[in-house]
Amino acid sequence: MPSGTAIYARGERTPLRPECAIDGCKDDGMELIFVHGALVRDGQWWWQRTADLLLERSGVHSRVVALPSCGETTPEQVDGGLVADAAALRSELDDVDSAIVVGHSYGGTVIAEAGHHPAVAHLLYISSYLPDVGQPQGAIMSGESDPVSIRDNGDGTLGVSGFDAASFAARFLQDADEQTQRLAWERVTAQAVGAFMTPTGAAGWEGVDSTYLVCGQDRSTSLELQRFHAGRATRSVDLATGHHPFISRPDLVVEQIRALLRPA
């Protein structure tokens, strides 16, 4: 186990050793599907460092869901909000036999809305959410003591407010290098109101084996909120990282994915 990580079973604070959570513990034919967070675009860029390392070390290929609500598909689909994003995830799942689905931040709400799917072998959450049915993303975020400031763009979309490249980096990517911080800022985008205000109609996480990566140095999602949602996962792992460990410490993320594929 890499230094700076600890694994806990649901409801426990006693570290466990990594164990295979996937039936059969085989990576043959297994793929990974990544669902990125809110108010950014180009999920491929956000996941690329981890995708490359995961392929090198385990042979597992990654896919990235293009979120319509972030303008990553067609203009006509943006207004679909959370429902359209969940449909995009289900479309990717329809195309694979078996997959680990990774949800970062808002991506966890997309997983919930997508409901259960036979291709899901395991769910991996990174500083994310496992919402109740009927709970919109906006309600989850509003409970934070220091929520990210959001503005209404007046066109059916929302955007981050009060940030520039430096302040965005300080909050979301303090543990990344300056070039990466700049490239991340270039990928901040508007997102449909419906991604935040639509109550979830399903809880795709219920009854599915799952792991939650708690980011201990996250300046965006509070540790308290992360622990609450981590308590709904099968197990949780503490990482000493900021909000985007798949960028700042892809080695730690890959190690946790590989642990899911190894025999106990």
Side-chain angles (χ1 to χ4, degrees):
M1 184 187 304
S3 61
T5 66
I7 299 180
Y8 304 95
R10 179 184 290 154
E12 300 291 338
R13 298 298 298 160
T14 302
L16 303 174
R17 66 186 179 90
E19 295 182 346
C20 177
I22 298 174
D23 290 344
C25 300
K26 295 180 179 179
D27 58 0
D28 294 343
M30 183 69 64
E31 295 193 49
L32 182 143
I33 300 175
F34 176 67
V35 189
H36 69 74
L39 299 166
V40 297
R41 59 175 178 81
D42 193 7
Q44 187 67 46
W45 179 85
W46 294 92
W47 185 250
Q48 194 64 57
R49 293 184 184 184
T50 295
D52 290 344
L53 190 60
L54 179 63
L55 182 61
E56 174 189 329
R57 294 187 178 180
S58 71
V60 172
H61 291 266
S62 295
R63 297 171 175 240
V64 174
V65 179
L67 298 183
S69 71
C70 292
E72 295 183 302
T73 54
T74 66
E76 295 76 21
Q77 292 183 305
V78 173
D79 289 343
L82 174 63
V83 174
D85 292 344
L89 171 55
R90 291 191 65 85
S91 180
E92 290 290 344
L93 285 166
D94 288 342
D95 198 39
V96 301
D97 294 325
S98 185
I100 299 170
V101 182
V102 180
H104 176 241
S105 197
Y106 165 74
T109 304
V110 176
I111 290 172
E113 180 65 19
H116 294 95
H117 193 287
V120 175
H122 188 81
L123 299 174
L124 178 64
Y125 294 90
I126 304 175
S127 188
S128 191
Y129 315 108
L130 290 76
D132 293 317
V133 172
Q135 187 175 27
Q137 178 69 29
I140 298 172
M141 297 168 61
S142 66
E144 289 278 54
S145 59
D146 182 23
V148 175
S149 181
I150 303 294
R151 69 171 183 274
D152 186 340
N153 294 325
D155 60 357
T157 68
L158 303 177
V160 296
S161 177
F163 287 95
D164 57 18
S167 58
F168 183 85
R171 176 145 186 168
F172 294 95
L173 289 149
Q174 81 276 13
D175 51 351
D177 61 84
E178 289 186 9
Q179 181 181 15
T180 298
Q181 292 172 345
R182 177 180 57 80
L183 292 172
W185 174 246
E186 292 175 359
R187 287 164 171 80
V188 173
T189 193
Q191 188 169 5
V193 171
F196 299 88
M197 303 307 294
T198 302
T200 52
W205 53 271
E206 289 186 329
V208 181
D209 198 75
S210 58
T211 302
Y212 191 109
L213 304 187
V214 176
C215 300
Q217 297 173 8
D218 195 329
R219 298 177 180 176
S220 175
T221 306
S222 68
L223 192 58
E224 180 182 13
L225 186 59
Q226 288 186 70
R227 293 235 183 269
F228 173 81
H229 287 277
R232 294 181 166 183
T234 309
R235 65 192 62 78
S236 64
V237 180
D238 286 359
L239 302 182
T241 70
H243 191 60
H244 296 88
F246 43 88
I247 286 180
S248 62
R249 291 297 306 272
D251 58 314
L252 297 183
V253 177
V254 167
E255 178 60 25
Q256 295 309 316
I257 296 170
R258 294 182 69 202
L260 301 175
L261 301 168
R262 289 195 299 263

